[in-house]
Structures are given as C-alpha cells and as structure tokens.
Amino acid sequence: MSFKLNIITLGLLAATTGVNAADFSVQKANVQGIKLDAYQCKGCISKHGYQGEVQLSVGWADSDDVHSGNALGEAGDGIRTGVGTDLRYRHAGYQANVQAHQLGLDNSYAHIDVGQSGLYGVSLDYNLLTQYDSRAQTQLWHNNGMLLPSDATRLLDLQIEREKIGLGFEAQYSVLQAFINYDHEQKTGNRRSSLVAPRPVNFALPVDANTENLNAGLSMEGDSWLGELLYNGSFYRNNINNLSLPHLPDVYAATPDNDAHQVSLSGQYLMEQTSINGRVAAGRMIQDGELIQMNGNPLQSWDGQVDTLDARVGFSSMLTPRWRMNGQVDYSDRDNKSSVWDFAQLEFDSLSGAFKQNVPMDIERLNYKLHTSYRINSQYRLMGGYDRKEVERSYLEREQTHDDALWAKLNMRALPNTVIDFGARYEKRTGSIYDTVEATSIEENPLLRKFYLADRERNALELKVNYAPLDWMTVDFSGRYAKDDYAKTLIGLTESTDYGYDIQLGLQLSKQLQFYAMAGQQWIDSSIAGSQQFSSPDWHSDIADEFINLGAGFTYSGLLDDRLTVGGNYLFANSASDTLLTSTEMHPYGDYYAYNHSVELYGRYALSGSVGLKLSYQYERYYDTDYAQSGVNSIPGVITLGELNHNYNAHLLMFTFSYLLP
C-alpha cells in the first residue's frame, strides 16, 4: 500500500510565537451562552469511554517556489487536505490514545499507544518531515549510479524527505521496568553538491538512505536509589553507490555504511540531604565499506573502528537550608582503531616516491564542574561556579587545551512585581605548544591558529528582567554581550563580538481581547587576518552579521453571541551579512541578506457544543540574495545549479471542520 502520512511538529508550533503559535481547535473557542453539555476537558482523564476531537482541513495554496513549503507545510499550488485527531479511551485500567496532525501533507505525524496502567504499553509512531531548498537547473541526470550529461537544462527540486516508522514496548513488574524501541527512517531526495571532473561542477546529489535505531533498557528503583541499564544501536545503509560519469568512473564517493553501538549503566542514590549520580558507557562505531580503487591505494576496504568510553559522577547536596552545592566530573575517550597503512604521497598531482601512514586521530576529554547557590534572604539569591575542560588530541597542531571558566549570577526580587537576573562569565583557554603537524597540515601557514585550538579569552554578561506593573500587563527583557579575544593569533580569527536583546510584551486588555508583541536583535562582528604570501599577515577581513525579529498578534473572543473568535499574527525576520576585505585597498563583498514577512488571520466559530469551524489565511513574503550565486553557464569553466536565490509571495487559505466527541 502506498500512501502519504506526514509530520511537522506541533513542537515547532509550541516553540514559536506568532503565526504558528495559536491553537485553532474547537475546544479553544469561547462558547459562553451556548449549550456546553457536550464539551469535555481534553486534559482531564475520564474513567470510562471515549474522549477527543477529530479535525478535517481542506485548503488551497498559491506559490511558485518550493521553499514556501517550509512555512506552509507543503510545496506547490492547488488543493490540499489534512486530517488531525486527538482521541482517548479509558476503561477499567486500560487506556488507548490516538493523535495525529495534518496527515496527508508533507509534514505531519501520527501516534498510537495502548496498554494497561502500571503493567505494559505498546506504541506506534509515524513521522514525515520534508525540508525544501530550491528549484535547481542541472545538466547532469542521475540514472543507476551514472551522472548522464544532457544538452538541455532540466529543472529539479532540491528537497529532503525523512519518513520514520517506530514501534515501542514497555512493561513494569514490581520495582522492575523494561522498554524496547525500534524505528526505521528512510531519507530520500536531492541536495546540493559539487565535484571536479576536471572542471568544477555543481550537481544535484541523489539521496536514498535508511537508518535503523534500536534502544532497549531495564531499570530498577528502591526507596532511596535507582539504576538503569541501556543499549543504543544505530545502523546506516546508503542505497546510492559511488557516482560515475560516462567517461570517468567513481567521480564521487558515496557516504559509507556504518554501525554504532553503546551500552550504558547509570544510577542515583539519595542519602538525607545529598544525592549522588553516575553513569558509565562503552561504545563502538564501525565502518568497513569498500574503497574506490586508485593508484597508490593498497586497501580494498576500510576497516574503520572507533571505541568510545564515557563516564560521569556527580553530586548535589543541601549543606544548609540556604546553601546548596553541586559538582560533576565527566570523562570521555575516543580511541580510533581504524586501518593504518603506508600510502604513496601525491605532490602537485605527481608521485613523490615517499610513503607515509595515515594517522588514526584520538581525543580524550575531562570536564570538572563545581557550582553553588546561596539564598541570602527571600529577595536575593547568589549563584556561582567554576568549570574546567581538559582536552587531549593526537596528531593535531595542539595536543592539549585547557578551558577554565568562572561565572556568577544574582537573582533579585527586591523591587515590586519585578524579577531580575544578572550574570557574568569569564573564560580562558590555554594549552600546550602550538606546532604545525606535517601529517595533517603540511600546506598550512605555521602562523595560522585554528579558532577551536587557539588561546582565547571570553568575557560575557547577561541581564534578564521580568516586570508585571499591572495585573493585565507583563514585560520580559533579556540582553547579552560576549567578546572573544584571540590575542596570540596572527593569522586566523583574531576577535569576535556577539551581543543582542529580546523583549516581549503581553497585554490582557479585556476579558475578550489579548495582545502580544515581541522584538529581538543580534549582532555578530568578527575580524580575521590572513596571508596571501604564506608569511606574515597582509590582508584583513571584517564580517558584520545582523539579525532582527519582530512580531505581534491578537485574539478577540465573544463575538456573535460568544460563538466567534478572531485573531491575527505577524512576524518579520531579517538577516544580513557584510564582509569587508582590506589588503592594499578595501574590497567589499556583494550582498548577502534575507528577509521574511509572515501574516496569518483566522476566525473560529462554534456551531454547537461539539461542532466547530475555522477559516484561516496565511501569507508569506520571502526574499534572499547571495552574491555567490550564478547562472548555469555564467562563469566560463564552471557549471552551477543556477541561481538558487528566492523571491516569492505564497498564500494559503484553509478551512477546518472540528468534531468533539461527547
């Protein structure tokens, strides 16, 4: 049977304010003054019988850009339909739940669970998530692992569809609990990629892969302790092999199949005012796919294996009624046991005659955390802590790095109707001698410092204020500032500043009218130094990134004898990046920015205590431009996927019928 059930997150709806934040189901309608006998609380548990709601949505969309599907749930024009439900059944300890959202669209989900409370449960999940990129132009067409050139330029949608089916079982007996979950995800579609054969070619890489996940666990608990034994397994299989051109085989290596396994044991023990917790986990990642054969490669397949070991121990103790102390130590070891062999070295596309071994890179981490909290009185609470991260890497420019951080926060409630949180943080990274490693970076300038290995100092401040001057008004503000200084870096990232604010306003203007507004901005300024002559710095780049988000919305109920509720939401988002390159003179880069306007208007009408109607209209205006985009053959010697920028208006009109079970 072939059919489409799809998911896009009610989690996204709940996590974002604005257009997607409203719940339009019939039970949210204000139906004062009409017969309410058939209405039931969705959050309440009924001892017997059925409860819930069923929704059927029919709509029409108008859009000429597939990217609009990210906001409207599905790309394309024309009629679309979706089904949603939230049903529950309870009887004599047995229970069943059925939930679904927009089944029939390219983003939707369904969940079913049945069982007996305190004994067992079985669940079934279906998810479909589609991410839309752009409509591309291509002169390469994939057919059974062969990229076939075409004189004609064809159109192809760049999008990835993830379809997942999961099955779970859990059981409980006395102090024992056990569970096992299995899911299978199929990922299909096309995404951007490139190759050189012998000239640069951008092409649509076909995607067809399966991932299976298996999780199982057993837990026990006593009066003051609990423990859990877990297994996690992941199995990835790529259905697309290496890609070839008619005149050149294996021009693009396929993502290799791989497996991962992990077993962990965790527990917690409580003794009076102190709790102790810990976890130890051992894992193995395996990759043994065949390699593309070429001159100088002695291996037929890659015997890749990485063993991992993770451990954690922590405590939390209430030393006095006002003073709490928390501490934790984390250890992580990544031991690369993959194949090691002598490989002939290529220098400027010719054999040098020298042989070198590939190096299996290992990494070991050790983290310490000690945090404390002291309540001075009912109006002031002081928190602080010290964090340290030690990392040791093999075969990299810097074998050891140490990150130390000190932080403090003050919570204040001294002002009426106001809560203030102020925090400061200082971080410093040092480590062993930075030295260029011939095995990994023979072509790098010895003055270059990679930002995640370089010495760095960070100073950060944060302020949060919650203010409720009136019982119908709330104001929330947060501001943050952080500066990274790479004082010892001559070539690389030398400085970065990140600062911004968010403010939200909520108003309950009357019993029927609610209003909200929000605004936020963020700025990231970075400075980079480089060398064109492979020596001291001779050019500098300043990058300024800016983001802004604005939103507002309202809900008005009580119309038409308290049967009608209307509302609206508006969101605006804008991002821009400006890069200025300075050598002997200034060279600004081209435009790189995007903006988005989203509007939604809706009305809900309660025909009766069990039947509701909703009509909504959604509009999106989206525009972006990237100076790096170019036409298919606009640059001699380079084949692209065309200009993938977006500039569109999209509309969605949706009618929803809701029925609430009595």
Side-chain angles (χ1 to χ4, degrees), residues 204-498:
L205 176 66
V207 176
D208 185 0
N210 297 303
T211 301
E212 295 178 282
N213 294 297
L214 179 64
N215 307 306
L218 179 66
S219 63
M220 295 180 62
E221 63 178 86
D223 294 336
S224 58
W225 61 274
L226 61 87
E228 188 174 46
L229 178 65
L230 296 176
Y231 166 78
N232 297 297
S234 177
F235 312 90
Y236 173 84
R237 299 294 180 265
N238 191 355
N239 300 321
I240 303 256
N241 207 340
N242 304 326
L243 301 181
S244 301
L245 290 169
H247 62 281
L248 192 61
D250 296 331
V251 295
Y252 195 95
T255 302
D257 298 344
N258 58 81
D259 301 337
H261 309 269
Q262 187 184 68
V263 178
S264 65
L265 178 64
S266 60
Q268 180 173 305
Y269 182 75
L270 177 63
M271 47 184 180
E272 296 182 353
Q273 302 301 317
T274 301
S275 67
I276 301 174
N277 62 82
R279 178 179 181 268
V280 60
R284 173 167 293 179
M285 297 179 286
I286 302 170
Q287 178 182 306
D288 56 3
E290 295 183 355
L291 298 176
I292 294 177
Q293 297 306 304
M294 59 182 295
N295 292 333
N297 177 20
L299 299 180
Q300 298 295 318
S301 63
W302 178 252
D303 296 323
Q305 177 180 315
V306 176
D307 292 340
T308 62
L309 177 64
D310 299 274
R312 184 197 73 238
V313 61
F315 76 91
S316 178
S317 180
M318 183 67 76
L319 302 179
T320 72
R322 295 172 179 261
W323 185 16
R324 174 179 290 277
M325 184 75 72
N326 301 324
Q328 184 171 303
V329 178
D330 289 274
Y331 174 80
S332 174
D333 180 62
R334 183 182 185 274
D335 186 9
N336 194 336
K337 296 183 177 180
S338 303
S339 301
V340 177
W341 207 267
D342 288 328
F343 291 88
Q345 298 302 295
L346 292 172
E347 294 182 1
F348 301 103
D349 297 328
S350 63
L351 283 174
S352 66
F355 285 82
K356 292 181 182 177
Q357 287 187 342
N358 61 301
V359 290
M361 298 183 183
D362 302 328
I363 185 168
E364 186 177 16
R365 296 182 177 91
L366 190 59
N367 295 341
Y368 308 89
K369 295 181 180 180
L370 186 62
H371 300 169
T372 187
S373 172
Y374 186 77
R375 182 170 57 86
I376 301 172
N377 54 38
S378 61
Q379 297 179 340
Y380 295 93
R381 180 186 296 270
L382 183 62
M383 295 162 282
Y386 168 72
D387 301 338
R388 179 176 173 85
K389 179 171 67 174
E390 299 177 357
V391 183
E392 183 171 348
R393 308 170 178 87
S394 65
Y395 303 109
L396 282 180
E397 294 83 354
R398 200 172 203 179
E399 291 186 355
Q400 296 178 343
T401 57
H402 309 139
D403 290 80
D404 296 278
L406 288 171
W407 62 271
K409 290 184 179 180
L410 179 63
N411 177 267
M412 296 176 288
R413 299 173 179 265
L415 299 177
N417 305 316
T418 305
V419 178
I420 301 175
D421 286 295
F422 177 75
R425 186 179 183 92
Y426 172 77
E427 298 181 20
K428 185 174 183 179
R429 180 196 297 146
T430 59
S432 58
I433 297 175
Y434 197 106
D435 189 16
T436 302
V437 180
E438 184 179 6
T440 61
S441 55
I442 57 177
E443 297 179 359
E444 290 182 356
N445 191 321
L447 298 179
L448 173 66
R449 298 293 181 265
K450 297 178 179 178
F451 74 94
Y452 63 93
L453 296 175
D455 287 352
R456 184 198 67 180
E457 287 192 53
R458 168 175 290 182
N459 293 281
L461 298 172
E462 184 177 23
L463 174 65
K464 294 183 179 180
V465 180
N466 176 265
Y467 181 47
L470 302 167
D471 57 2
W472 51 270
M473 175 187 294
T474 60
V475 181
D476 295 302
F477 172 84
S478 65
R480 58 203 173 274
Y481 172 87
K483 182 174 182 179
D484 294 342
D485 187 8
Y486 300 82
K488 296 183 179 180
T489 296
L490 294 179
I491 294 180
L493 180 63
T494 59
E495 187 178 270
S496 178
T497 305
D498 184 347

